[in-house]
Amino acid sequence: MTLLRNPFILFTTFIIIIMSFSSCYSIKFLDDDHNINNLEGEFGNDFHFKAYPSNYFNTILDHEKNNNIKKNLEIISRFQRYNNMEKFNEEEDQAKVTTINVDSFGAKGDGSIDDTNAFQKAWKEACSSSHVVNFVVSQNKKYLLKPIKFYGPCKSSITMQPCKVAPTALTFYKCNNLKVKDLKIENAQQIHLLIEKCVGVEVTKLVVTSPENSPNTDGIHITSTQNIQISDSTIATGDDCISIVDGSQKVLATGITCGPGHGISIGSLGGGNSEAHVSDIHVNGAKLYETTNGLRIKTWPGGFGSASNIKYQNVVMNNVKNPIIIDQNYCDQADGPCKAETDSAVEVKNVIYQNIKGTSATNDAISIKCSKKIPCEGILMENVKLLGGNGETPNGIWGNINNLTCKNVLPECQKNSKIV
């Protein structure tokens, strides 16, 4: 009773109670993990803090200059603390990067054990992470995988770090009587479709799409494969639409649309002084649009072997930089010039060009640069008409060819021409 009769003590006790209540209320707000429902309880179910600018609260204060002022100020203070904490957490999350390595999920990468399940587990973990993810596939390993799909959407951004040499999108290896139909491949890191050491292959209605500036993204790469037919396919890429290399025999390509890209190429062959053989290649019916090359045969100086029995028929070109090109001194080494002439070369023989027409984007519509030591042997050109973009007649380069036959060819053939 004495305590209650003393006004000063009574007033002090009242202030302490109020301060204690305020402090507990603030702590409760933080302990509730900044639950926005507390704010909705204060302002009503229609409240959404991100939908209202700061002057909204000023409007409230202007209209309620009464006993609710302290209450509103407390709510605003709590909202500001919540908003600042939210921004801090977002910045903290963005700074965190989670590395997920497929090896940690059981992938062996020895080329014999199936790693499909490990890749699926690693992807599930990566896709469900709330942090930025670096998805790692170890270099210098060979992962054996069954067909696999990586599904999204994922909670955060994911960076794929493949092995040092980028993988081929799809490889068929040692397959017999293989049929590939109605397949679409987009934006491969390197080769889109690789066919290696197969016998009896049919590829029909393939669609390949990649940017023009994407390096080493061959559409179809054929190596050590016999009896293959490619038909009715459209290829847009940053490298060869079709590339045919060592060990390939009896290749038939019909109904091919190519562009952008580097054209339809045989080779390169004989790199690193190696032996290479390609034979019985037939391209019948192709359209090439604004490609770097059209019909190309390329071999390295110093190599040996042969590219023989090659026939190109019924091809239309539109604004192609090098419509017809044979280069027995091919070199793509950026660190120094190749030795242009050696005592050996991959022999190029029995090549036929028939019914070829279109426009060239450069002055040299035909460029045949064969080796002085081992000239090209037996080249037939018949009904070939290539013009410049404005209808003018472009040039032709004819070098080191034995048995060149030309019938109705523009630009005109220059027999017995030598490359010095």
Side-chain angles (χ1 to χ4, degrees), residues 366-377:
I366 298 175
S367 178
I368 299 179
K369 298 179 180 179
C370 299
S371 169
K372 290 191 293 185
K373 298 292 179 66
I374 303 179
C376 295
E377 182 72 35

Side-chain angles (χ1 to χ4, degrees), residues 241-263:
C241 290
I242 300 175
S243 55
I244 304 166
V245 298
D246 180 37
S248 298
Q249 294 177 308
K250 296 182 179 179
V251 178
L252 173 62
T254 62
I256 305 299
T257 300
C258 170
H262 292 181

Side-chain angles (χ1 to χ4, degrees), residues 278-282 307-311 349-351:
V278 168
S279 65
D280 301 306
I281 312 299
H282 189 186
S308 62
N309 302 330
I310 300 164
K311 183 184 289 186
K349 61 182 179 179
N350 300 332
V351 183

Side-chain angles (χ1 to χ4, degrees), residues 296-368:
R296 177 168 64 160
I297 300 172
K298 50 182 178 175
T299 68
W300 286 79
F304 55 100
S306 65
S308 62
N309 302 330
I310 300 164
K311 183 184 289 186
Y312 302 103
Q313 292 179 304
N314 305 312
V315 177
V316 177
M317 306 193 199
N318 181 15
N319 201 34
V320 173
K321 291 183 179 179
N322 301 293
I324 294 176
I325 179 170
I326 297 177
D327 187 0
Q328 272 187 294
N329 293 309
Y330 171 79
C331 175
D332 67 352
Q333 292 182 352
D335 56 350
C338 296
K339 187 176 180 181
E341 287 297 333
T342 64
D343 292 333
S344 65
V346 177
E347 185 179 15
V348 177
K349 61 182 179 179
N350 300 332
V351 183
I352 296 174
Y353 301 89
Q354 289 180 323
N355 301 326
I356 313 295
K357 63 181 181 180
T359 56
S360 174
T362 61
N363 290 329
D364 297 325
I366 298 175
S367 178
I368 299 179

